[in-house]
């Protein structure tokens, strides 16, 4: 038996400010955060701690040309922390030939995001095209190594940095009591630096992804829903992830004034 105890304490203080100057709007925020993380590998009598203080600013500027059109300029710094499974170093067997282990020394990743976009909307449709640049350091990545001729071990490590620049378009449409839909498409140039892990310093690729959610209200008690997403090839320090595609469809029927609901999903 392997015993792993994970404790995480986050203390945060944040302030936001919002004001409008005619057609011009400002929304600013600042969050100060103290994190205390402890991973206790009881069997090995080993404790790994990570205590850090960070400040995360956000600035959102907007200019409203009309009720239907708005220009937006945004900056934010944010973080994504590893969870307990990411830090747990004891093996998890997906099958006899593939082992997954966490990394108790995995650091949080930090993202600087810059976005310039506009918002176009009326009563039934909203279109949000955006040009962006994102710089991520300590980004989580998976690394796979051979334990022997027949067994692979996969763990998570921190990349030196990851840069993405691209264009994203989000379209939302609805018709009263008939349907709602959300479509997003994102094409971007991605560059990673994995030199800190002993791999090629810089690798780059142009990728794209898309997602669609559609809900059709056939009657007041019947709804058909479809959601799908596609991701093209993505970079890893050791190569590429192959493209992936997922489609889910479901039909929901409510009975007895909503007291019973039947759902069929494919």
């Amino acid at each position: 038996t392997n015993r792993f105890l994970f404790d995480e304490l986050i203390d945060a203080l944040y302030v936001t400010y919002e004001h409008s100057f005619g057609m011009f709007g400002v929304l600013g925020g600042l969050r100060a955060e103290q994190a205390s993380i402890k991973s206790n590998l009881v069997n090995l009598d080993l404790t790994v701690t990570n205590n850090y203080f960070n400040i995360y600013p956000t600035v959102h500027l907007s200019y409203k040309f009309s009720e239907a059109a708005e220009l937006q300029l945004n900056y934010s710094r944010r973080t994504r922390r590893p969870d307990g499974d990411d830090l747990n170093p004891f093996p998890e067997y997906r099958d006899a030939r593939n082992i997954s282990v966490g990394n108790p020394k995995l650091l949080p990743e930090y993202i600087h995001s810059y976005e310039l976009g506009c918002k176009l909307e009326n009563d039934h449709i909203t279109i949000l095209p955006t040009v962006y640049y994102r710089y991520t350091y300590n980004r989580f990545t998976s690394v796979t190594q051979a334990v022997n001729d027949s067994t692979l071990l996969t763990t998570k490590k921190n990349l030196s940095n990851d840069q993405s620049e691209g264009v994203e378009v989000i379209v939302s449409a609805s018709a009263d009591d008939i349907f709602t839909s959300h479509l997003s498409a994102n094409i971007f140039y991605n560059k990673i630096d994995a030199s800190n892990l002993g791999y090629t310093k810089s690798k780059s690729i142009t990728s794209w992804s898309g997602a669609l959610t559609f809900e059709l209200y056939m009657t007041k008690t019947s709804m058909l829903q479809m959601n799908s997403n596609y991701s093209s090839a993505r970079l890893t320090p050791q190569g590429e992830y192959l493209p992936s595609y997922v489609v889910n469809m479901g039909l929901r029927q409510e009975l007895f004034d909503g007291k019973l609901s039947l759902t069929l999903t494919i």
Side-chain angles (χ1 to χ4, degrees):
T1 300
N2 295 316
R3 192 177 183 202
F4 175 76
L5 300 178
F6 170 71
D7 292 291
E8 180 180 66
L9 176 64
I10 307 294
D11 295 304
L13 176 68
Y14 63 91
V15 59
T16 59
Y17 172 79
E18 183 176 10
H19 194 73
S20 297
F21 305 90
M23 306 298 285
F24 184 74
V26 177
L27 174 62
L30 187 67
R31 187 171 91 252
E33 190 177 272
Q34 174 66 44
S36 300
I37 299 171
K38 183 172 70 172
S39 300
N40 185 1
L41 288 63
V42 179
N43 302 63
L44 303 179
D45 194 24
L46 175 64
T47 300
V48 180
T49 61
N50 187 16
N51 302 318
Y52 55 90
F53 175 81
N54 268 299
I55 293 178
Y56 305 100
T58 58
V59 179
H60 303 279
L61 307 177
S62 63
Y63 183 82
K64 209 169 184 66
F65 294 100
S66 65
E67 289 298 320
E70 181 180 274
L71 183 67
Q72 301 175 345
L73 178 63
N74 307 317
Y75 165 76
S76 65
R77 180 179 188 260
R78 56 185 185 269
T79 187
R80 188 161 72 101
R81 284 178 288 271
D83 59 26
D85 284 340
D86 295 327
L87 299 172
N88 185 353
F90 296 119
E92 177 179 315
Y93 291 83
R94 289 178 290 178
D95 55 58
R97 298 176 182 267
N98 291 279
I99 307 172
S100 296
V101 298
N103 178 5
K105 297 183 179 180
L106 193 66
L107 300 174
E109 65 179 33
Y110 299 96
I111 306 103
H112 292 278
S113 178
Y114 305 83
E115 299 178 350
L116 174 64
C118 63
K119 184 178 181 181
L120 309 170
E121 63 179 346
N122 57 31
D123 292 339
H124 298 291
I125 189 168
T126 300
I127 303 174
L128 185 61
T130 303
V131 179
Y132 66 85
Y133 171 77
R134 296 182 183 124
Y135 179 86
T136 305
Y137 59 97
N138 291 345
R139 200 202 82 184
F140 304 154
T141 189
S142 294
V143 174
T144 300
Q145 298 171 321
V147 178
N148 52 47
D149 291 342
S150 62
T151 306
L152 296 175
L153 184 145
T154 301
T155 189
K156 287 191 175 181
K157 295 188 178 182
N158 294 109
L159 279 177
S160 177
N161 63 73
D162 175 301
Q163 300 179 64
S164 296
E165 49 198 56
V167 178
E168 183 177 34
V169 179
I170 301 173
V171 180
S172 299
S174 64
D176 295 340
D177 300 324
I178 299 176
F179 77 91
T180 61
S181 64
H182 303 278
L183 172 67
S184 66
N186 181 21
I187 181 169
F188 59 96
Y189 174 77
N190 181 220
K191 181 179 179 181
I192 66 172
D193 179 355
S195 57
N196 63 312
L197 302 179
Y199 297 99
T200 304
K201 181 175 181 181
S202 294
K203 299 173 63 177
S204 60
I205 193 174
T206 299
S207 298
W208 74 278
S209 62
L212 171 66
T213 299
F214 181 81
E215 296 178 352
L216 176 64
Y217 306 100
M218 297 180 294
T219 68
K220 290 184 178 181
T221 59
S222 303
M223 183 183 73
L224 177 68
Q225 184 183 71
M226 181 187 76
N227 63 74
S228 64
N229 62 73
Y230 174 85
S231 294
S232 66
R234 292 157 292 154
L235 283 179
T236 75
Q238 298 171 297
E240 295 179 2
Y241 285 116
L242 293 176
S244 62
Y245 184 54
V246 177
V247 177
N248 295 296
M249 295 188 68
L251 177 65
R252 187 178 71 191
Q253 176 65 53
E254 293 185 356
L255 304 171
F256 307 114
D257 296 326
K259 294 182 176 63
L260 178 65
S261 178
L262 301 178
T263 303
L264 173 66
T265 303
I266 301 174

